[in-house]
Amino acid sequence: MFQPIVFLPGLICDARLWRDIIDGFADTMAPMVADLRLDETIAAMASRTLAAAPPRFALAGLSMGGYVALEIMRQAPERVTHLALFDTSARPDNEERRETRRKGIEMIAQGKFIGVSRGLLGSLVAPHHLGTPLAEEVQAMSERVGGTVYIRQQKAIMDRVDSRPHLAAIDVPTLVGVGALDKMTPPELAEEMAAHIPGAKLVTFPDAAHLPTMENPAPVVDAMRDWLGR
């Protein structure tokens, strides 16, 4: 029997973010990669995903996708069989982070979108992946998604709610994963989520920063196989 699973991409990411994971489950999984490019709120992204998803499904989100996954757990928890949260946080943005996002939006409004900049790339992938074909794939992915979607998604992220008060209500098998070298949502944020979700399993992925599903997919697949078997 094929396991229905819904994958939620991160900011300016598309299905490439999950390609290697889906390939690792080719014989057992019925995957759906949600389209998070169309809405300006996390709640609307969650609602659109639920409208397209199977009646019951496992759910995996990375970064912004994790914010959407937590919103789905508020909107329709009865439809989710398993939950995986990768390189994300239950916390809302602080004012400093919101201001950084506003500046990014202003730059794009001035026609300066170039996809993932070299500086940002250093926060997304581990140092040994810089200057490699993987880094080029991350850049190409951001260019495919484009500036208009980037603005839309940044607005959604900036206005997201604090999910920490809702973590204790999650009652499905939960995997919390994080790249060991993640600077954007560092391991302590994953530890915080795992500590407040009953029965959650925390896994740290070596040789990866914010995008372990692309940087080091094999241990992610292994962790997800264990998770889906729970």
Side-chain angles (χ1 to χ4, degrees):
M1 180 178 291
F2 283 79
Q3 167 75 57
I5 182 164
V6 174
F7 292 98
L8 303 168
L11 172 70
I12 53 173
C13 294
D14 59 18
R16 172 61 187 91
L17 179 70
W18 296 106
R19 186 193 70 190
D20 298 333
I21 307 305
I22 291 171
D23 288 349
F25 285 94
D27 57 339
T28 59
M29 180 186 291
M32 170 191 141
V33 180
D35 189 350
L36 304 184
R37 299 172 299 172
L38 304 174
D39 300 292
E40 290 192 3
T41 69
I42 297 298
M45 291 177 185
S47 296
R48 187 184 297 273
T49 298
L50 285 165
R56 294 267 288 166
F57 54 89
L59 181 63
L62 186 148
S63 195
M64 181 189 74
Y67 310 149
V68 179
L70 290 168
E71 177 62 28
I72 286 173
M73 294 304 297
R74 287 188 287 273
Q75 291 189 15
E78 72 283 355
R79 292 180 59 185
V80 179
T81 64
H82 296 72
L83 175 66
L85 301 167
F86 295 112
D87 298 87
T88 190
S89 170
R91 297 185 176 200
D93 272 357
N94 57 30
E95 188 51 41
E96 179 183 2
R97 194 71 187 98
R98 288 192 187 97
E99 183 58 26
T100 299
R101 295 189 196 279
R102 291 186 194 105
K103 289 178 180 177
I105 290 171
E106 289 170 6
M107 288 182 65
I108 293 176
Q110 297 167 13
K112 297 180 180 178
F113 181 74
I114 58 170
V116 171
S117 66
R118 289 184 63 86
L120 179 57
L121 191 60
S123 296
L124 291 175
V125 301
H128 57 281
H129 289 134
L130 295 173
T132 67
L134 173 66
E136 294 174 3
E137 286 195 72
V138 173
Q139 176 68 42
M141 180 170 61
S142 70
E143 291 173 356
R144 285 194 301 272
V145 175
T148 299
V149 172
Y150 174 85
I151 292 173
R152 197 175 290 145
Q153 292 180 338
Q154 285 284 38
K155 289 179 178 178
I157 292 170
M158 235 175 356
D159 294 334
R160 72 185 187 278
V161 303
D162 186 347
S163 290
R164 287 174 292 180
H166 307 281
L167 296 178
I170 295 173
D171 63 353
V172 296
T174 300
L175 168 64
V176 179
V178 63
L181 305 175
D182 192 345
K183 299 176 183 176
M184 298 195 74
T185 51
E188 54 263 31
L189 295 178
E191 293 165 6
E192 178 182 62
M193 287 189 298
H196 288 89
I197 297 172
K201 182 172 182 178
L202 175 65
V203 179
T204 301
F205 304 115
D207 301 319
H210 193 61
L211 304 176
T213 58
M214 295 177 68
E215 297 178 82
N216 194 8
V220 179
V221 171
D222 289 344
M224 291 183 71
R225 285 191 185 279
D226 174 74
W227 162 68
L228 290 170
R230 289 164 58 193

